[in-house]
């Protein structure tokens, strides 16, 4: 089937899309008045929503944060292209929630007690090391930038299918994306985290409606799931130009190590991303976090249904050169124009929410752990907030330039690399939440080794279209199986950290000062001594 751009703009779908976009724009600006604090000039207020969100707001915020427009586009696109291998996202989102149940409440408690805004704040306070804190902050910023860019790629995919991206004039072609970026930047600047928190209600409601309708309506039009799976099986069993199957309904034995390690590594990495932690720390109590780990799996159910759309696109005969367009094109072909507009709005808004949270999270890292720690230690809360707002704009501008000037595969490859990188902060963050045994220098060395190995290994992976950074899987040294590079780098990171800790402790190397105490990790809001922000004299202190 041909793209809508070949036939002109889908006016009805575009009209519905614009309606919802305008609605969330209004909500984004009105969010500045929602739960307005007496003093708005602090990162607690602008960057964490006053640490005041309850169970449902946090649930929608985390869902809007983790299940992005790129998820909506890329997961079924992977199933469309390769079959069951694309379902790895489902088991990893199942694995992640029992994992975060063990450590996120502890992180919330110690952060609430000491006024920590970022993971690097915690690492600095726990290990008394600005160097380790800087490493975690830089890793978080580097891993977040391409993630924001991919949200814009998701919006581009929708615009292309609606016929907006067909102009030969670059300005006309990119104008809708520029407008979307400008609106996103404006309401994020004015409303902070409150804007995506409110918009997430709209975004997730639309996504659930679209998925439920799609999983019922499209199979009826295609003759049922038997016909859908039969069409998918036929496609995957048909040899390609090299004489090999193009995919499989069940991962072959040779791909099981890749599937398992990618799922496990992704689960370990997901809540290392700064935006995940920002959404977590915005909640008002540790019990809100615990409750969310029990109800967030509802999104995993949605994700499993979403992945099935890849098989439906095959059965519907969708033919696209860019696999990222497969699902938007499926909606264009199968839904009435007005409901296609609703589906496109769900994807578009699904880009705005995480992009806003990601830019806020990256800005907070820069402000607290680079600007305040190294450039202006005596920065006031007002100065911190101003810098964070400006940096959030710069981050979005960088992501926009990235999308408009580079091939989209570059953004995808950098996002895969970002997952490898962010996993290397796990020992410092999660390890530090449970033990002070790891030495700060050993953690820094382990991080450096993991980063170096992961980057070099990914650089050496080729694909049919490029020589370097062609994927995130490679042969695991000593085993001979193909596995996720990030998990191999993580295990190497942990090994180096443990060995060097033993050596450094034997040599009695100087340890940093731990500003936390055991009871801090179980403190809750309202407990004696618990506060959301430290006094100015101590809020940025390091040892």
């Amino acid at each position: 089937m041909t793209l809508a751009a070949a036939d002109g703009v889908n006016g009805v779908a575009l009209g519905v899309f614009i309606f919802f976009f305008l609605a969330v724009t209004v909500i984004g600006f009105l969010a500045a008045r929602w739960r307005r604090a007496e003093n708005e000039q602090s990162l607690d207020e602008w960057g964490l929503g006053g640490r005041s969100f309850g169970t449902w707001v946090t649930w929608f915020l985390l869902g809007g944060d983790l299940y992005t427009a790129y998820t909506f586009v890329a997961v079924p696109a992977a199933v469309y292209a390769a079959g069951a291998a694309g379902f790895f996202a489902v088991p990893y989102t199942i694995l992640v929630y029992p994992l975060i149940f063990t450590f996120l409440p502890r992180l919330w408690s110690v952060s609430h007690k000491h006024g920590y805004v970022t993971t690097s704040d915690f690492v600095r306070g726990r290990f008394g090391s600005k160097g380790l804190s800087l490493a975690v902050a830089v890793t978080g910023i580097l891993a977040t930038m391409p993630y924001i860019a991919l949200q814009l790629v998701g919006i581009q995919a929708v615009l292309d299918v609606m016929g907006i991206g067909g102009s030969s004039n670059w300005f006309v072609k990119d104008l809708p994306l520029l407008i979307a970026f400008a609106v996103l930047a404006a309401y994020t600047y004015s409303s902070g985290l409150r804007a995506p928190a409110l918009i997430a209600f709209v975004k997730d409601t639309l996504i659930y409606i679209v998925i439920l309708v799609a999983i019922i309506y499209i199979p009826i039009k295609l003759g049922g799931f038997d016909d859908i799976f039969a069409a998918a099986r036929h496609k995957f069993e048909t040899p390609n130009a090299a004489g090999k199957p193009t995919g499989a309904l069940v991962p072959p034995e040779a791909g099981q190590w890749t599937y398992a390690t990618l799922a496990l590594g992704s689960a370990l990495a997901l809540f290392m991303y700064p935006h995940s932690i920002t959404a977590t720390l915005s909640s008002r109590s540790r019990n809100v976090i615990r409750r969310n780990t029990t109800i967030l799996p509802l999104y995993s159910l949605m994700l499993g249904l979403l992945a099935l759309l890849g098989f439906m696109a095959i059965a519907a005969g969708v033919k696209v050169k860019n696999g990222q367009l497969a699902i938007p094109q499926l909606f264009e072909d199968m839904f009435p124009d007005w409901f296609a507009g609703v589906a496109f709005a769900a994807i578009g808004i699904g880009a705005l929410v995480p992009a806003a949270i990601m830019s806020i999270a990256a800005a907070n890292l820069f402000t607290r752990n680079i600007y305040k720690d190294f450039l202006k230690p005596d920065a006031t809360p007002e100065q911190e907030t101003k810098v964070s707002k400006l940096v959030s704009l710069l981050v979005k501008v960088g992501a926009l330039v990235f999308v408009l000037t580079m091939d989209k595969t570059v953004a995808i490859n950098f996002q895969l690399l970002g997952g490898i990188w962010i996993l290397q902060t796990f020992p410092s963050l999660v390890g530090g939440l449970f033990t002070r045994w790891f030495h700060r220098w050993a953690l820094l060395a382990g991080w450096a080794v993991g980063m170096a190995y992961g980057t070099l290994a990914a650089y050496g992976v080729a694909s049919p279209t490029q020589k370097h950074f062609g994927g995130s899987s490679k042969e695991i040294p000593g085993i001979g199986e193909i596995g996720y590079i990030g998990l191999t780098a993580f295990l190497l990171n942990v090994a180096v950290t443990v060995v060097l800790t033993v050596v450094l402790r034997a040599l009695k190397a100087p340890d940093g000062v731990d500003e936390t105490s055991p009871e801090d990790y179980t403190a809750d809001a309202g407990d004696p001594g618990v506060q959301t922000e430290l006094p100015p004299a101590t809020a940025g202190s390091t040892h």
Side-chain angles (χ1 to χ4, degrees):
M1 297 196 179
T2 58
L3 292 178
D7 301 319
V9 176
N10 185 332
V12 175
L14 180 61
V16 175
F17 179 87
I18 291 174
F19 168 79
F20 280 106
F21 186 84
L22 291 175
V24 299
T25 299
V26 172
I27 292 171
F29 284 111
L30 290 178
R33 302 181 181 182
W34 179 45
R35 300 182 179 182
R36 176 179 284 179
E38 291 183 8
N39 178 18
E40 300 174 20
Q41 295 303 311
S42 73
L43 288 187
D44 268 15
E45 289 301 328
W46 183 82
L48 293 180
R51 302 182 192 252
S52 62
F53 297 150
T55 300
W56 287 111
V57 176
T58 303
W59 185 71
F60 277 106
L61 185 63
L62 278 169
D65 191 11
L66 303 176
Y67 298 87
T68 68
Y70 186 67
T71 306
F72 207 118
V73 169
V75 170
V79 174
Y80 169 82
F87 274 93
F88 84 92
V90 178
Y92 102 65
T93 58
I94 294 172
L95 287 171
V96 74
Y97 298 120
L99 177 68
I100 63 175
F101 186 86
T102 65
F103 73 83
L104 275 191
R106 294 178 66 84
L107 177 62
W108 183 93
S109 291
V110 70
S111 298
H112 205 74
K113 179 71 179 288
H114 290 273
Y116 298 147
V117 175
T118 68
T119 52
S120 292
D121 282 351
F122 165 71
V123 169
R124 182 196 60 216
R126 178 62 153 161
F127 296 101
S129 173
K130 282 186 178 181
L132 184 59
S133 169
L134 178 63
V136 172
V138 170
T139 305
I141 294 170
L142 287 176
T144 301
M145 285 291 291
Y147 221 149
I148 300 173
L150 287 184
Q151 306 316 309
L152 302 182
V153 169
I155 296 179
Q156 272 191 329
V158 168
L159 295 175
D160 284 349
V161 170
M162 284 193 295
I164 301 296
S167 174
S168 58
N169 184 302
W170 73 268
F171 181 76
V172 174
K173 177 181 178 182
D174 295 327
L175 182 61
L177 189 62
L178 293 170
I179 294 172
F181 158 80
V183 170
L184 168 66
Y187 67 61
T188 303
Y189 186 92
S190 67
S191 303
L193 194 66
R194 287 177 171 83
L198 274 184
I199 295 171
F201 281 90
V202 179
K203 173 251 185 186
D204 290 347
T205 300
L206 285 178
I207 285 181
Y208 270 104
I209 290 172
V210 170
I211 295 300
L212 288 175
V213 171
I215 209 71
I216 297 171
Y217 178 78
I218 296 178
I220 290 173
K221 291 196 69 175
L222 294 176
F225 278 102
D226 283 350
D227 289 350
I228 290 171
F229 285 116
R233 181 184 295 276
H234 175 72
K235 180 202 170 184
F236 295 136
E237 290 178 350
T238 302
N240 57 19
K244 297 181 179 180
T246 56
L249 283 178
V250 178
E253 186 175 346
Q256 290 175 5
W257 271 85
T258 305
Y259 188 91
T261 55
L262 184 57
L264 178 58
S266 299
L268 294 174
L270 184 60
F271 273 82
M272 299 302 103
Y273 279 103
H275 54 277
S276 303
I277 300 301
T278 295
T280 300
L281 296 185
S282 69
S283 58
R284 69 184 175 210
S285 74
R286 63 184 277 124
N287 281 334
V288 167
I289 302 301
R290 293 162 67 91
R291 283 194 290 270
N292 264 274
T293 61
T294 63
I295 58 177
L296 275 169
L298 285 173
Y299 281 100
S300 298
L301 173 63
M302 182 268 290
L303 188 62
L305 299 176
L306 173 64
L308 290 174
L309 295 180
F311 292 141
M312 296 181 198
I314 295 171
V318 171
K319 304 291 183 185
V320 289
K321 293 181 180 179
N322 177 2
Q324 309 300 323
L325 299 176
I327 301 313
Q329 189 62 44
L330 174 69
F331 292 158
E332 171 81 7
D333 293 344
M334 303 301 296
F335 287 146
D337 288 346
W338 70 269
F339 196 76
V342 174
F344 295 152
I347 299 175
I349 298 169
L352 298 179
V353 172
I357 303 171
M358 289 170 189
S359 64
I360 290 170
N364 288 346
L365 279 171
F366 176 85
T367 302
R368 289 297 290 254
N369 309 114
I370 297 177
Y371 174 75
K372 188 176 179 69
D373 277 354
F374 294 95
L375 302 177
K376 192 173 176 60
D378 60 345
T380 64
E382 291 80 7
Q383 289 172 325
E384 285 184 4
T385 305
K386 182 178 180 180
V387 169
S388 203
K389 286 183 174 183
L390 291 174
V391 172
S392 75
L393 293 179
L394 292 176
V395 167
K396 285 189 278 287
V397 169
L400 184 65
V401 171
F402 197 89
V403 169
L404 296 181
T405 60
M406 294 187 181
D407 189 274
K408 294 174 181 59
T409 57
V410 176
I412 294 170
N413 291 337
F414 271 108
Q415 198 276 327
L416 293 174
L417 194 58
I420 295 171
W421 288 341
I422 202 66
L423 183 51
Q424 308 317 309
T425 64
F426 191 99
S428 299
L429 176 59
V430 179
L433 286 169
F434 292 95
T435 179
R436 189 58 167 69
W437 180 76
F438 295 121
H439 196 280
R440 54 182 177 163
W441 296 348
L443 284 166
L444 190 57
W447 166 85
V449 169
M451 291 284 285
Y453 172 83
T455 304
L456 291 173
Y459 179 82
V461 177
S463 74
T465 57
Q466 57 200 78
K467 293 182 178 179
H468 305 294
F469 299 116
S472 57
S473 297
K474 195 173 185 178
E475 184 175 312
I476 304 171
I479 296 180
E481 300 285 351
I482 302 297
Y484 178 45
I485 293 170
L487 190 59
T488 306
F490 167 73
L491 294 174
L492 187 60
N493 178 347
V494 172
V496 170
T497 299
V498 170
V499 170
L500 282 183
T501 296
V502 172
V503 172
L504 289 168
R505 297 220 173 275
L507 295 174
K508 301 189 184 304
D511 213 352
V513 176
D514 181 6
E515 69 181 26
T516 70
S517 57
E519 58 271 18
D520 295 345
Y521 295 88
T522 55
D524 205 348
D527 289 353
V530 174
Q531 51 195 349
T532 59
E533 187 173 358
L534 292 176
T538 59
S541 63
T542 57
H543 302 277

